[in-house]
Amino acid sequence: IVVDASISMAQADGARPDWSRLDAARGLAAATIEVLLRQGDRFGLAVVNGDGLSLQAASAAPRHRDRCLLALDGVRARGGWPTETALAPLYERIAPLDLVLLLGDGFDEAQQRLAERLAAARREVLAIRILTVEERDFPFEGGHLFRDIEGDVELRGDGAAMRAGFLERFGAARRAQAARLAAEGIRQ
């Protein structure tokens, strides 16, 4: 299980302001770990953020589950994705035909390259993109300052006037990303 903990995963959901993308990823990872443990399957955990890569090697024991859950609890969103060199241990530890569950927002190019590289090396990759209600619906009204926390870009505008254009561009970007991943055999 690979969890994206880059700074963009700290974005809260307007429907539930106390719940971030990272909270959703941690919940999905914890539930998956519990299912895998009950099935007797081996599982490992990798967390990727600006601090680099944190790994819990694969195992199938209850104490391993507890170590993974403790590691998930301590995860904080920060920075961007590390270099490919920092991600090298993932390629060494994830064996051919292993299933990789990639939990993240899917916006970082490095995350897509990781999925493609793992798939090209005969790893089965399932990418789950975690979005917020705001991204899906763009429900903003009136004047807003929109800020890209990873790109340090700001945009001022009227939410209602920007809605149609944003939803069209965001939908097109998601479709292009889905097609790119599907072309590599990555399930979504």
Side-chain angles (χ1 to χ4, degrees):
I1 302 168
V2 179
V3 176
D4 173 3
S6 63
I7 192 66
S8 64
M9 292 294 286
Q11 183 175 347
D13 195 318
R16 189 172 168 194
D18 62 331
W19 189 253
S20 70
R21 286 184 186 139
L22 183 56
D23 292 323
R26 281 193 292 235
L28 287 167
T32 302
I33 287 168
E34 192 62 36
V35 169
L36 295 170
L37 179 67
R38 290 177 186 231
Q39 291 179 168
D41 292 331
R42 292 171 44 88
F43 56 90
L45 175 68
V47 177
V48 180
N49 65 17
D51 293 337
L53 173 66
S54 171
L55 284 172
Q56 299 289 325
S59 182
R63 291 187 73 190
H64 180 59
R65 173 206 48 210
D66 297 344
R67 282 190 297 275
C68 288
L69 294 179
L70 186 60
L72 281 170
D73 187 56
V75 171
R76 299 294 173 260
R78 58 178 132 255
W81 273 66
T83 65
E84 292 216 17
T85 303
L87 296 175
L90 280 178
Y91 308 120
E92 298 163 5
R93 297 216 180 179
I94 301 172
L97 306 178
D98 278 357
L99 172 63
V100 179
L101 176 62
L102 182 57
L103 302 171
D105 57 25
F107 296 133
D108 197 305
E109 177 64 24
Q111 183 178 343
Q112 291 186 43
R113 282 195 312 269
L114 171 66
E116 291 168 339
R117 184 170 175 185
L118 289 169
R122 295 184 27 230
R123 277 66 171 178
E124 186 177 349
V125 180
L126 171 59
I128 296 180
R129 292 180 295 195
I130 301 170
L131 304 178
T132 65
V133 170
E134 285 85 0
E135 291 163 326
R136 185 190 68 204
D137 301 339
F138 204 79
F140 304 104
E141 299 291 335
H144 282 275
L145 173 63
F146 299 97
R147 184 174 295 131
D148 176 356
I149 56 177
E150 286 184 345
D152 201 29
V153 175
E154 294 182 346
L155 175 64
R156 294 183 189 277
D158 178 71
M162 298 169 75
R163 182 175 297 116
F166 171 83
L167 292 174
E168 181 180 322
R169 288 187 307 279
F170 189 63
R174 286 179 63 199
R175 287 187 298 278
Q177 181 186 51
R180 175 180 171 183
L181 295 177
E184 299 297 325
I186 299 165
R187 294 186 294 151
Q188 307 164 60

